[in-house]
Amino acid sequence: MGIFSGSSSNSSGASASGGGSAAERKEEVKQQVRQELAMANAQELISNVNKHCVKMCIATPGTSLSGSDEACLSRCMDKYLASWDTVSRAYVARINQEKH
Amino acid sequence: MYNNGYGASYHEQRLQQMMEQKQLRDFMRMYSNLVSRCFDDCVSDFNSNTLSDKELTCVNRCTLKNMKLNERIGQRFAEENAKLMEDQAKLGR
């Protein structure tokens, strides 16, 4: 499950151009909504990464980013995305647990 | 059924769509708040670019705890709301 894809990424055949059945059209709309959400989600994610990592990595703003600043920011982003992934797994696991 | 597209059922559908979209947006927002909070509380060492075992455990626990918190709050809210409605109904009589 990629970070920016919806949770059910196995929807097929949404690229039919002809007016398909109502079910197909509904699936197309769902797909579009998922993509728009993914975009908005990506923007918010990047904004959050920025906010947290600048707070944690850059103690006193200088005139430019030092090498260690850059390294810290890069690692911070990796860790943030890893956290995103972990939260995602834990969340889904919990939801599935409750279903059964 | 209505013949023109703007009958009551159209508005109902629109309303339903808007509610679903709002729900999705709220879900996404809750999700990113969750990640934000757990990252803040659990991760502070940037000498490595992968999560240590300790950080991983912390994030897992943080997620579960927050989810349970949300559920508990939802339950209490429903209970209090029901009580409130009951009281209001009693007053109304």
Side-chain angles (χ1 to χ4, degrees):
Chain A
M1 172 162 77
I3 288 185
F4 300 127
S5 63
S7 57
S8 56
S9 51
N10 58 354
S11 59
S12 58
S15 56
S17 54
S21 64
E24 279 175 26
R25 253 176 289 140
K26 189 174 172 189
E27 190 55 40
E28 274 181 40
V29 170
K30 271 195 198 171
Q31 185 79 313
Q32 190 182 4
V33 169
R34 257 183 238 132
Q35 279 177 356
E36 285 175 19
L37 268 181
M39 262 312 294
N41 199 27
Q43 285 174 342
E44 189 166 351
L45 180 61
I46 291 180
S47 160
N48 274 341
V49 170
N50 204 18
K51 192 170 63 172
H52 284 278
C53 293
V54 166
K55 184 172 76 171
M56 297 190 115
C57 282
I58 299 184
T60 53
T63 51
S64 62
L65 285 176
S66 72
S68 68
D69 281 344
E70 283 192 27
C72 179
L73 286 171
S74 168
R75 289 181 200 131
C76 175
M77 186 184 95
D78 288 338
K79 277 195 157 173
Y80 196 91
L81 293 182
S83 308
W84 208 100
D85 204 36
T86 306
V87 166
S88 176
R89 277 182 230 266
Y91 192 91
V92 169
R94 164 81 181 184
I95 297 276
N96 282 333
Q97 188 185 43
E98 291 205 347
K99 275 188 193 164
H100 306 127
Chain B
M1 276 313 288
Y2 294 83
N3 284 330
N4 60 345
Y6 293 83
S9 70
Y10 170 77
H11 289 296
E12 270 175 35
Q13 271 181 31
R14 280 286 297 152
L15 186 61
Q16 175 119 0
Q17 262 178 16
M18 283 165 58
M19 279 176 59
E20 281 172 12
Q21 273 186 351
K22 176 147 204 322
Q23 260 185 337
L24 279 171
R25 247 181 290 144
D26 284 346
F27 171 76
M28 285 282 133
R29 189 168 308 146
M30 178 204 75
Y31 201 87
S32 71
N33 277 340
L34 185 56
V35 176
S36 181
R37 190 193 304 202
C38 292
F39 182 83
D40 245 351
D41 288 343
C42 289
V43 179
S44 56
D45 170 35
F46 298 110
N47 286 316
S48 148
N49 70 347
T50 51
L51 293 177
S52 71
D53 285 337
K54 194 167 98 170
E55 287 168 343
L56 205 61
T57 314
C58 180
V59 171
N60 273 322
R61 286 182 188 157
C62 174
T63 306
L64 282 176
K65 232 179 182 178
N66 274 289
M67 284 180 77
K68 288 180 182 172
L69 176 69
N70 281 335
E71 285 162 27
R72 181 75 66 98
I73 290 178
Q75 281 171 357
R76 292 294 163 263
F77 184 84
E79 282 171 22
E80 292 299 320
N81 204 28
K83 248 191 271 177
L84 189 67
M85 304 283 262
E86 210 182 292
D87 289 346
Q88 282 186 348
K90 281 190 201 152
L91 280 178
R93 287 207 198 115

